[in-house]
Amino acid sequence: TDNEKLIIKLMLDCVVELPAQTPVYGTLAGLLNAASEEFGAAIVAGCIELLQKALDTDEVLQARMLTRFLAELLNASAVHPDSLLSAFTKFVEHALEAGAADGPKQQADFLVALVLEALIWAGRTLHECRSREVGRLLGRVDEYMAGPARPTDFSLVRAFEETAEERESTDLFKPTDFVGSLHKVVRAQRAAGWRCDATLKPYQSFEAMLGEAKQHRLPEILIPGFFEPAKYRLRMVHRIFDADIDDMR
């Protein structure tokens, strides 16, 4: 109905424009799905439709926020874990192929970053129901990260010239690229049993209701063959305080 379409549009607008409350939106969508699986299916389909459009038009931020929403839909039992893992595997496999080929690597980095960022929010849920598959996925991510180094120039933000010792240092306080930072965080979370107290988990208050809801399969997500490299520049990360990542847990 028109009212349902309006609700879905407003929810997805909030996901993109006000992403701080994405866990709340995901739980709300899960509760709506528990009440009406047809409505839940429409929410999932609407999210994928918007995500596909974002990928096709190089809307990087929108794609990140919508993928995070998919992770929260999984937490709220509105998305089937096998379907989400299949989409993530497709992203990583495409990145591995692109990483091994000549040409810009920005899109490959971005696809891996999408997966890693989603795992920060939904890694625990996936681990509880598909631990072996998550292990295989992260193994492929590790292969990508072990590939050719991504060129990164931090010269514009250095206050002083580096010494030889600093250039050889692996100190975590040095700036790093975004996907590399996400990789470190996800590895730390995995080592800690996917415990992450820094993220909201409102779905836990409705587990009994959400557990009976239908989990929907995702429509196919197509990865564009052409992209504008300049739009896929991921920010670098500066660590000013303790980089032990314990605070992320």
Side-chain angles (χ1 to χ4, degrees), residues 7 11 24-25 27 53 63 79 88 119 163 166 170 186 195 246:
I7 291 170
M11 180 179 292
V24 176
Y25 310 145
T27 299
K53 182 179 178 181
V79 165
F88 286 172
L119 287 175
T163 65
E166 288 171 335
T170 57
V186 170
R195 182 171 60 87
D246 282 341

Side-chain angles (χ1 to χ4, degrees), residues 11 31 55 108-109 167 177 193 215 218 220 222 235 240 249:
M11 180 179 292
L31 292 171
L55 292 173
D109 269 8
R167 281 193 293 270
D177 65 289
Q215 296 177 316
L218 300 180
E220 184 180 8
L222 303 177
R235 70 181 185 270
I240 301 175
R249 299 197 294 264

Side-chain angles (χ1 to χ4, degrees), residues 2-19 21 25 28-29 32 39 43 46 50 66 69:
D2 290 340
N3 288 334
E4 289 178 345
K5 291 178 181 178
L6 177 61
I7 291 170
I8 293 171
K9 181 183 183 303
L10 290 175
M11 180 179 292
L12 294 176
D13 284 347
C14 288
V15 166
V16 173
E17 302 295 338
L18 302 169
Q21 299 301 323
Y25 310 145
L28 176 59
L32 291 171
F39 194 19
I43 293 173
L50 204 57
L66 291 164
F69 184 54

Side-chain angles (χ1 to χ4, degrees), residues 5 31 72 112 115 131 189 198 200 247 249:
K5 291 178 181 178
L31 292 171
E72 291 298 343
V112 172
V115 173
S131 60
Q189 282 194 7
L200 296 174
D247 290 340
R249 299 197 294 264

Side-chain angles (χ1 to χ4, degrees), residues 81-189:
D82 290 341
S83 186
L84 189 61
L85 279 168
S86 177
F88 286 172
T89 299
K90 181 177 182 178
F91 288 174
V92 174
E93 293 300 326
H94 183 91
L96 281 164
E97 292 177 8
D102 295 332
K105 304 295 189 293
Q106 289 92 336
Q107 188 193 49
D109 269 8
F110 175 70
L111 291 172
V112 172
L114 281 183
V115 173
L116 291 171
E117 198 168 15
L119 287 175
I120 291 175
W121 298 88
R124 181 173 180 175
T125 301
L126 282 172
H127 173 73
E128 289 174 350
C129 62
R130 298 292 188 276
S131 60
R132 186 175 301 177
E133 291 81 357
V134 171
R136 283 199 294 265
L137 175 66
L138 289 176
R140 296 296 280 166
V141 171
D142 290 343
E143 288 182 37
Y144 177 80
M145 297 303 298
R150 293 169 300 281
T152 310
D153 182 10
F154 299 124
S155 58
L156 292 177
V157 295
R158 292 194 187 105
F160 306 99
E161 184 177 355
E162 283 186 314
T163 65
E165 291 78 9
E166 288 171 335
R167 281 193 293 270
E168 295 175 359
S169 171
T170 57
D171 185 5
L172 286 176
F173 289 91
K174 294 180 69 176
T176 183
D177 65 289
F178 185 56
V179 67
S181 180
L182 286 174
H183 188 228
K184 291 174 184 176
V185 171
V186 170
R187 290 180 66 181
Q189 282 194 7

